[in-house]
Amino acid sequence: MKNIKIAVIGLGYVGLPLARLFSTKYQTVGFDINQKRVDALMAGNDDTLEVSNEMLKEAIQKGFICTTDLEKIKDCNFYIVTVPTPVDRNNRPDLTPLIKASETIGKVIKKGDIVVYESTVYPGATEEDCIPVVERVSELIFNVDFFAGYSPERINPGDKEHTVEKIKKVTSGSTPEIGVKVDAVYNSVITAGTHLAPTIKVAEAAKVIENSQRDINIAFVNELAKIFNLMNIDTHAVLEAAGTKWNFLPFKPGLVGGHCIGVDPFYLAQKAQEYGYHPEIILAGRRLNDSMGKYVANEVVKLMIKKGTPVKGAKVLMLGITFKENCPDIRNTKAIDIYHELREYDVEVDVYDPWADPAEVKHEYGIKTITEYPTGNNYGAIILAVAHHEFMTINLQDHKDNGCIIYDVKGILKKELTDGKL
């Protein structure tokens, strides 16, 4: 354990907090291909806000470094891959970042070294897709010259309570002995403890079903919201009443985006189809959740029509573009679906989000956000799409008194203030 030197490949929402944590006990190097990101981190600034600037600077002072230079990770012997695993426009798993990271590992891995993957994948991806790449580039033999493990990430972006060391970690290894070693390394820094899975595939499957389960449960309450809205029944009141039973699961309706829940079920579905099984519940849940942005936009348009507000050319203010509250992450946000659907009605949409980087939103979605909360009362509707803390102090009553429709996607505003909600 004393001779462990760790390299974390990929310094995003998952990799940086993990690398910082490992640096408290081991010599640790963070590697990323984005020079701008590395420069910012070495200056003590994490724009994902997952690691405080003070904590990052302290780690750097004690020897933690971030780099784009392969030479600086060649003397490591415990490599951890934490790159994104997205889907393409057809919702098929895109392993490109994972394959490129495996090529990087292949260039530096040596006899006796271990590579652990944390990126969310379908069962079998580590040993069937990634390891062959490492073998090809390194010309080393798997489970003879080098070894592997899988320890699925459980980072919850923006959550300052359930930080990486406080979340129990699933671990696994390519042999029983390596599994024990991988588990020991993680267990030395994870205060919540670890769970050693019997195989890599079990660990991979455990991760991918965590978010699939949440996706399906949210899809169920989203469908309830659609049904109860037709019946003019308050969905949140129904869930509150049902929640008085001890074993009722507390899920709420909403937009399901982000880089985990909105993506991971497609990885499991893809692998199931390769085995000749068409997953019905998993894909049905995905379809329903993916429809919610369009549903919200259409509900707002209906409310405008009922109120006599002209739709074509109307101005709508959308509060929030990130995929979740109090977090700058805009990846796979479903708030953008509301925007696009409203634009189909020739509605002019202003997007205000104090957490989102305007340049990043422009690059990712091609839209320009406003950087200050507008003071005028010229909106036909305001949609609370994301529950940022900042939005809780906004005075929406003035807008409502001026005839503006208030739609609450998150179900957190006072009932008398809203004209509609999920």
Side-chain angles (χ1 to χ4, degrees):
M1 295 287 286
K2 291 182 180 179
N3 297 323
I4 295 289
K5 183 175 181 180
I6 295 173
V8 177
I9 314 299
L11 297 175
Y13 285 85
V14 174
L16 181 64
L18 185 70
R20 199 286 311 172
L21 177 63
F22 272 122
S23 74
T24 62
K25 190 152 190 174
Y26 304 99
Q27 191 176 352
T28 303
V29 181
F31 179 87
D32 201 286
I33 59 173
N34 186 336
Q35 187 66 55
K36 184 179 178 181
R37 169 71 170 162
V38 166
D39 290 343
L41 292 176
M42 287 306 291
N45 180 45
D46 171 28
D47 58 13
T48 70
L49 306 181
E50 290 301 303
V51 176
S52 70
N53 291 350
E54 295 75 18
M55 194 175 285
L56 181 56
K57 289 175 182 177
E58 181 183 351
I60 292 171
Q61 288 174 354
K62 292 182 178 179
F64 173 56
I65 65 169
C66 301
T67 184
T68 58
D69 186 358
L70 272 179
E71 291 296 321
K72 293 184 179 179
I73 62 172
K74 278 189 173 180
D75 62 341
C76 294
N77 51 27
F78 197 93
Y79 296 92
I80 302 174
V81 177
T82 59
V83 297
T85 43
V87 292
D88 63 18
R89 64 179 58 190
N90 296 311
N91 291 323
R92 292 175 301 198
D94 179 6
L95 296 182
T96 302
L98 209 52
I99 297 304
K100 288 184 177 179
S102 297
E103 290 173 347
T104 297
I105 296 295
K107 294 174 183 177
V108 296
I109 201 167
K110 308 172 297 301
K111 287 189 176 183
D113 290 355
I114 298 173
V115 53
V116 178
Y117 289 85
E118 289 216 2
S119 308
T120 302
V121 291
Y122 45 72
T126 298
E127 294 158 297
E128 296 165 13
D129 297 295
C130 299
I131 294 303
V133 175
V134 178
E135 284 188 303
R136 173 176 56 80
V137 176
S138 68
E139 298 184 347
L140 298 176
I141 301 172
F142 178 49
N143 276 342
V144 174
D145 298 322
F146 75 96
F147 304 88
Y150 183 78
S151 180
E153 59 90 2
R154 281 178 166 172
I155 292 291
N156 186 24
D159 190 339
K160 303 309 177 187
E161 180 181 352
H162 301 96
T163 50
V164 57
E165 69 273 15
K166 298 177 183 176
I167 304 173
K168 194 162 190 173
K169 205 82 164 66
V170 173
T171 62
S172 63
S174 54
T175 69
E177 295 77 18
I178 292 300
V180 171
K181 187 169 184 177
V182 169
D183 187 74
V185 172
Y186 276 95
N187 196 50
S188 68
V189 294
I190 303 294
T191 55
T194 57
H195 173 88
L196 177 57
T199 66
I200 285 176
K201 285 184 179 180
V202 167
E204 291 170 325
K207 171 56 182 177
V208 81
I209 71 166
E210 288 176 17
N211 288 327
S212 297
Q213 182 187 66
R214 285 185 58 78
D215 195 41
I216 291 166
N217 279 303
I218 297 171
F220 172 62
V221 294
N222 274 336
E223 187 161 67
L224 292 181
K226 289 184 175 183
I227 294 170
F228 293 144
N229 284 343
L230 290 172
M231 298 178 177
N232 197 28
I233 299 173
D234 186 332
T235 304
H236 289 265
V238 173
L239 294 174
E240 184 180 355
T244 58
K245 190 181 180 188
W246 75 92
N247 60 352
F248 186 83
L249 300 178
F251 288 92
K252 294 181 179 180
L255 305 175
V256 186
H259 198 61
C260 291
I261 300 178
V263 172
D264 295 356
F266 289 121
Y267 274 75
L268 183 56
Q270 170 80 11
K271 200 62 177 179
Q273 289 167 342
E274 290 179 10
Y275 280 80
Y277 181 82
H278 181 76
E280 298 182 34
I281 294 176
I282 293 171
L283 291 179
R286 273 285 75 236
R287 285 193 298 271
L288 197 144
N289 283 338
D290 278 347
S291 75
M292 295 309 292
K294 184 175 182 178
Y295 173 79
V296 167
N298 288 329
E299 288 295 292
V300 171
V301 168
K302 287 177 186 177
L303 289 169
M304 293 172 70
I305 292 172
K306 288 179 181 178
K307 201 160 190 173
T309 303
V311 175
K312 186 179 177 65
K315 289 191 69 175
V316 170
L317 174 63
M318 191 168 81
L319 298 175
I321 191 67
T322 62
F323 93 90
K324 66 179 293 188
E325 66 274 6
N326 309 315
C327 172
D329 195 349
I330 63 168
R331 294 176 299 174
N332 194 36
T333 176
K334 294 305 174 182
I336 195 66
D337 294 348
I338 301 175
Y339 175 91
H340 287 312
E341 186 66 16
L342 289 173
R343 294 294 295 130
E344 288 291 316
Y345 288 98
D346 286 332
V347 170
E348 184 180 338
V349 185
D350 285 342
V351 177
Y352 172 64
D353 192 321
W355 282 81
D357 180 353
E360 190 177 348
V361 176
K362 179 69 175 177
H363 178 266
E364 188 74 18
Y365 299 110
I367 66 174
K368 184 178 180 181
T369 59
I370 58 177
T371 56
E372 293 184 3
Y373 179 73
T375 55
N377 287 323
N378 59 337
Y379 291 105
I382 295 178
I383 303 171
L384 178 71
V386 187
H388 293 317
H389 289 318
E390 289 86 345
F391 296 158
M392 300 303 98
T393 59
I394 291 176
N395 182 11
L396 295 175
Q397 188 64 52
D398 288 347
H399 292 279
K400 185 173 179 64
D401 293 342
N402 202 47
C404 179
I405 289 165
I406 309 295
Y407 192 92
D408 184 9
V409 173
K410 302 298 293 184
I412 58 174
L413 298 176
K414 293 179 180 179
K415 185 177 182 180
E416 57 271 18
L417 184 62
T418 61
D419 298 279
K421 66 177 179 179
L422 280 183

